Amino acid sequence: RRFCSYFLYQTTPAAQMVDVQRKQVELAARALLTHHKKQNRDFLLAEGESVWVQCVFKQTPSAQKQPKRIPLAHGLYDERTSDICLITKDPQAEYEELAASKNLPGRVTVMSVSKLRSDFKPYEAKRKLFQSFDLFLADDRVLDVLPKLLGKTFFAAKRQPVPVKISGKGGDWAAQVVKARDATYLHIGKGPCSALRVGTTDFTAAQLAENIMLVIEGLGKHDARKGKNIQAIHVKTDSSLALPVYNSVPTASDITHFGGVVAPRKKKVAAEAAAPKAIEAPPAAKREERKRKATKEKVEDSAEEALATPKAKAKAGASKGAESTKRPKKAKVDTPKSTRKASKSKKAGK
């Protein structure tokens, strides 16, 4: 919390582009590494955590299917230990020979679309494939069929294959693989926030600061308003608090661009406050008004009865007369048992 409060007041105001001081970024990176060491000083074989840059936009950008590539000075994947899967067209044997002839850097495995469709159809197989590789690359000509073949596991974790251009036998495959490997990617979804991985806690503070500065520069380039749509930028690890390194205050240009920052509800409240209010009547006047309305309703009801048609009146009178001419039924009187026995004996004597 001390770190957050300190960084919040050290942030740089908004400018034409995203203007962030290098010293501020290095200070934040050093603080994150110190926090990670304190959290894991009791663990001998503690694993490194990822370091992220969180970007908050003033206005939610339009969602895009393909991620935006931002190159890094220090890559996220080690060439000697990272496994890369390259998804290509059919036939697989032909592309495996091409990959072997191109001397691709690192451990790259070639997989065709037909093998992906046949061998990794069950969900468990897709999850096993997801855990088997550190990075997935794909020929840009087969990107349209991959969402259905890979499933939601890859896309929910932002691990969908990165497109590379390897069309043609004379293409520079090695350069394409290195360019895709030594970069981070901006995924623009339906919300105003995006997170980009810029390194791990195994990096030095200088390496993290260099990557963060490149990412901030890339955010300004990929922003439609050249950085003016960025509200705030934070850096954090997987388990730490987010440290702000940039914070923008809305200006007059933002109000003009977005058509007013005031929300529709606030506009409505402001309009109601500006409108002249009607003078509220006292309680006695309200009672008189209610009596007047009740009297008016009674008069209207009596007028409706007076304006009824003669036929309806005659019909109602005839129905009443018919009911009066009917003979009423005799009421059944319950007599006691002794009276009934006496009457029976009299009849028997006769």
Side-chain angles (χ1 to χ4, degrees):
R1 290 178 182 177
R2 290 179 185 174
F3 281 131
C4 281
S5 60
Y6 176 76
F7 284 115
L8 185 61
Y9 292 106
Q10 294 290 325
T11 50
T12 308
Q16 291 284 333
M17 291 287 288
V18 184
D19 185 14
V20 180
Q21 295 179 0
R22 174 66 181 263
K23 290 183 180 180
Q24 184 69 24
V25 174
E26 287 183 356
L27 188 61
R30 203 175 297 116
L32 290 177
L33 294 178
T34 304
H35 171 75
H36 175 72
K37 288 180 181 179
K38 287 182 178 179
Q39 291 292 109
N40 298 276
R41 59 187 173 187
D42 297 333
F43 300 96
L44 183 62
L45 300 175
E47 295 183 356
E49 292 182 304
S50 297
V51 179
W52 301 85
V53 168
Q54 291 181 336
C55 178
V56 182
F57 296 99
K58 296 177 183 177
Q59 187 180 34
T60 303
S62 57
Q64 299 180 10
K65 293 182 179 180
Q66 299 302 329
K68 301 292 183 181
R69 180 184 297 173
I70 299 177
L72 298 175
H74 307 279
L76 303 175
Y77 305 99
D78 190 358
E79 182 178 334
R80 297 165 296 178
T81 58
S82 298
D83 295 317
I84 300 174
C85 178
L86 177 60
I87 304 174
T88 63
K89 295 179 68 176
D90 296 321
Q92 181 172 330
E94 180 181 347
Y95 282 93
E96 285 179 344
E97 293 178 1
L98 285 173
S101 63
K102 300 294 182 180
N103 296 323
L104 299 181
R107 301 187 298 190
V108 181
T109 303
V110 177
M111 184 181 299
S112 65
V113 174
S114 61
K115 184 177 181 180
L116 184 65
R117 184 182 291 111
S118 60
D119 296 356
F120 300 95
K121 193 172 183 180
Y123 175 77
E124 291 296 331
K126 292 178 182 178
R127 191 171 64 175
K128 187 177 180 181
L129 175 66
F130 176 82
Q131 298 172 352
S132 300
F133 295 95
D134 300 305
L135 179 64
F136 291 89
L137 307 178
D139 188 350
D140 57 353
R141 297 171 294 179
V142 299
L143 282 177
D144 295 338
V145 299
L146 292 182
K148 187 176 180 180
L149 297 178
L150 295 176
K152 62 181 180 180
T153 304
F154 286 78
F155 292 87
K158 308 297 183 186
R159 291 277 305 278
Q160 61 261 44
V162 177
V164 292
K165 293 184 179 181
I166 57 174
S167 57
K169 295 183 179 180
D172 193 353
W173 288 32
Q176 290 290 328
V177 171
V178 171
K179 190 186 295 184
R181 184 191 64 194
D182 298 340
T184 189
Y185 295 90
L186 172 63
H187 298 271
I188 300 177
K190 297 181 180 180
C193 300
S194 296
L196 299 90
R197 189 165 174 250
V198 294
T200 64
T201 51
D202 297 330
F203 287 19
T204 63
Q207 290 175 338
L208 285 176
E210 194 171 355
N211 280 357
I212 292 170
M213 293 300 295
L214 289 174
V215 167
I216 293 173
E217 183 182 352
L219 287 172
K221 290 180 180 179
H222 290 296
D223 182 23
R225 297 185 62 207
K226 302 300 180 184
K228 294 181 180 179
N229 191 34
I230 296 176
Q231 176 64 44
I233 297 176
H234 301 77
V235 292
K236 68 180 297 294
T237 63
D238 293 333
S239 61
S240 72
L241 297 174
L243 304 181
V245 295
Y246 174 80
N247 194 14
S248 172
V249 179
T251 59
S253 61
D254 296 331
I255 298 174
T256 305
H257 178 78
F258 297 127
V261 179
V262 182
R265 172 62 186 162
K266 292 184 179 179
K267 287 182 179 179
K268 185 178 179 181
V269 172
E272 290 176 354
K277 293 184 178 179
I279 300 173
E280 191 175 355
K286 287 183 178 179
R287 287 196 295 269
E288 293 294 332
E289 183 66 23
R290 285 197 294 268
K291 288 181 181 180
R292 200 180 300 114
K293 285 183 180 179
T295 307
K296 187 177 179 182
E297 289 177 358
K298 288 180 180 179
V299 172
E300 289 178 355
D301 294 340
S302 60
E304 287 178 1
E305 292 179 359
L307 293 174
T309 57
K311 289 184 178 179
K313 285 185 177 180
K315 190 174 181 181
S319 61
K320 287 181 180 179
E323 289 178 0
S324 61
T325 54
K326 289 182 179 179
R327 293 180 64 184
K329 293 182 178 180
K330 289 184 178 181
K332 191 175 181 181
V333 180
D334 292 335
T335 55
K337 289 184 178 180
S338 58
T339 309
R340 288 201 295 265
K341 285 182 180 180
S343 60
K344 283 182 181 179
S345 61
K346 286 180 180 180
K347 288 180 182 179
K350 287 179 182 180

